Amino acid sequence: MLYSINIIHSGYIAGLLSFFIWSLPAAIAAYGLSLGVANIDNELPASVYALLTGLNAATVGIIALAAVQLSQKAITDKLTRLLVFLGGTAGILYNALWYFPVLLVVAGASTIVWDHRWIHRLVGSISRRKAPAGEDSEAYANPMESVELSSEARLRRNPQPALQSDQISAGNSTSVEVHEERTVPAVREIRVLTWRSGAMVIAGFFVSFIVFMALRGAADIEQRGFKLFANLYLAGTIIFGGGPVVIPLLREYVVVEGWVSTRDFLLGLAIIQAFPGPNFNFAVYLGSLAAASSPDLPSAAGAVIGYIAIFAPGLILQTGFMGLWKTLRGHRSVTSCLRGVNALAVGLVFTAVYRLWEIGYIDEGYQGGSSLGRDPWWVVITATSFVGGMWFKVPAAAAIVLGGVMGMIWYGVVKA
């Protein structure tokens, strides 16, 4: 959003500068954090494990809060409610690199079909064929039409007095909605790119995406740097809906590959939640650690790869769609598709809550992580961060620090 606003007002240079000013400080901090984590011993004191588990439990509560808040915005009807549910459950039940893109495509297609009422028309035609002889089959064609006709009949039987002009005022409790065609003043129209230029930018991006994915699947390419770039480029392309959505994707495309340990993933995730700037900078941290575990790739190069790969798809697509949006915003199918994709992406945040919960507990016997449900105290920490953010507006950084303190309290009572 910041990038787009500055492009509209001041051009591409201002847009890019604003993006770098917004994202680079936290990206540099994430890289510094990765250098420190890379030098941590495999075996840590029990007090450190308790601290890390407390941070993880608080992080789960923060992400759960983000999932609830995002779902409140994404759910607009029963279909989007169902898509949020399906996104969360489908992501819990199965994991694969191809799985999340397929789910997003299915979600977008389902809202297009639903909003165009193609299923309603099919059901209506079947109902007309099954209508009993001698009855009005029109009632089966579209039940909503009969409801509307009934409403009109009631209005004819009980006509309401017409509103006088003096009754229609800003302070009157009676409101009348006047639907007028929305017009955008010429000075506020987006004139960054023509629709042809925007289409070329988007087409060029998808060509590059196909090429990278094809090379990524080639068996003879084993370079860590290229595979890291391709995995994060894929994650940056299919992310839809904001920072928390990226977490399950990054875990799938980096940790499952064996490049970063579960412990280091959780440690970085908990600390970076307290950083300013976008959560996507988590990819910088992961890229640096993935490179550090490779003999032929410097950690700084991995951090740069992570930064470019995670942000480039969004910037390119945003630039292209700025040229197309004036044309596309009037097409119902486009807005319907975005509605479905957004709802399912929010469901994936609930997937992240579950998966992080299942690996949040760390100690010397569970280096790969175990369920936070092992001890009720971790449940209390998760609930504390959720409730604190939901109803008492506790900042995420403060909630994470509190989670660490509560983890140390647990250590003092149980372990010491």
Side-chain angles (χ1 to χ4, degrees), residues 105-339:
V105 170
V106 171
S110 66
T111 45
I112 292 175
V113 171
W114 181 266
D115 288 349
H116 283 279
R117 301 183 67 82
W118 292 333
I119 295 178
H120 303 70
R121 294 172 186 173
L122 178 62
V123 172
S125 64
I126 295 174
S127 299
R128 284 196 300 271
R129 292 175 184 175
K130 294 182 177 181
E135 292 189 9
D136 187 4
S137 61
E138 293 183 359
Y140 294 87
N142 191 345
M144 294 304 297
E145 291 181 2
S146 62
V147 173
E148 293 172 359
L149 291 174
S150 299
S151 300
E152 292 175 2
R154 285 196 300 270
L155 287 173
R156 286 196 296 268
R157 288 195 299 267
N158 300 294
Q160 299 293 328
L163 293 175
Q164 301 298 323
S165 59
D166 58 349
Q167 289 179 298
I168 306 175
S169 59
N172 199 306
S173 60
T174 303
S175 61
V176 178
E177 293 185 2
V178 180
H179 299 281
E180 296 180 355
E181 185 178 355
R182 181 177 179 268
T183 58
V184 180
V187 295
R188 295 188 180 181
E189 289 186 354
I190 299 176
R191 299 182 182 275
V192 179
L193 292 175
T194 64
W195 71 269
R196 290 185 178 87
S197 299
M200 291 178 63
V201 170
I202 295 174
F205 166 78
F206 281 110
V207 168
S208 70
F209 177 78
I210 293 172
V211 170
F212 286 135
M213 293 305 106
L215 292 175
R216 174 182 173 276
D220 56 339
I221 297 181
E222 296 295 337
Q223 294 181 355
R224 175 70 59 85
F226 177 79
K227 285 203 165 184
L228 175 64
F229 178 86
N231 279 16
L232 295 180
Y233 198 74
L234 173 60
T237 301
I238 65 177
I239 289 169
F240 196 95
V245 181
V246 76
I247 294 170
L249 300 179
L250 291 180
R251 182 176 181 273
E252 182 68 21
Y253 298 160
V254 177
V255 177
V256 176
E257 293 280 356
W259 300 337
V260 177
S261 68
T262 299
R263 186 200 70 177
D264 293 347
F265 177 88
L266 293 172
L267 175 60
L269 177 63
I271 296 176
I272 285 178
Q273 294 296 317
F275 284 9
N279 284 339
F280 285 13
N281 279 324
F282 190 35
V284 175
Y285 168 86
L286 295 177
S288 175
L289 289 180
S293 63
S294 173
D296 57 350
L297 188 64
S299 61
V304 173
I305 289 173
Y307 183 81
I308 294 175
I310 201 69
F311 283 113
L315 292 176
I316 296 171
L317 290 174
Q318 180 71 7
T319 303
F321 274 108
M322 287 177 71
L324 292 177
W325 185 242
K326 182 179 178 181
T327 304
L328 292 178
R329 68 187 178 192
H331 290 271
R332 186 178 180 184
S333 296
V334 175
T335 55
S336 296
C337 178
L338 295 177
R339 192 168 69 92

Side-chain angles (χ1 to χ4, degrees), residues 16-68:
L16 288 173
L17 284 176
S18 64
F19 168 75
F20 288 135
I21 292 172
W22 173 62
S23 62
L24 270 179
I28 295 172
Y31 172 61
L33 175 64
S34 70
L35 296 179
V37 171
N39 292 317
I40 295 178
D41 294 333
N42 291 331
E43 294 292 334
L44 299 175
S47 59
V48 176
Y49 284 123
L51 173 66
L52 294 180
T53 303
L55 296 176
N56 292 337
T59 301
V60 172
I62 292 171
I63 297 174
L65 174 60
V68 171

Side-chain angles (χ1 to χ4, degrees), residues 69-93:
Q69 292 174 337
L70 288 171
S71 65
Q72 290 172 344
K73 297 179 181 179
I75 294 174
T76 56
D77 58 8
K78 291 183 178 179
L79 178 60
T80 48
R81 189 181 302 277
L82 180 62
L83 287 175
V84 171
F85 169 75
L86 290 178
T89 54
I92 289 172
L93 294 174

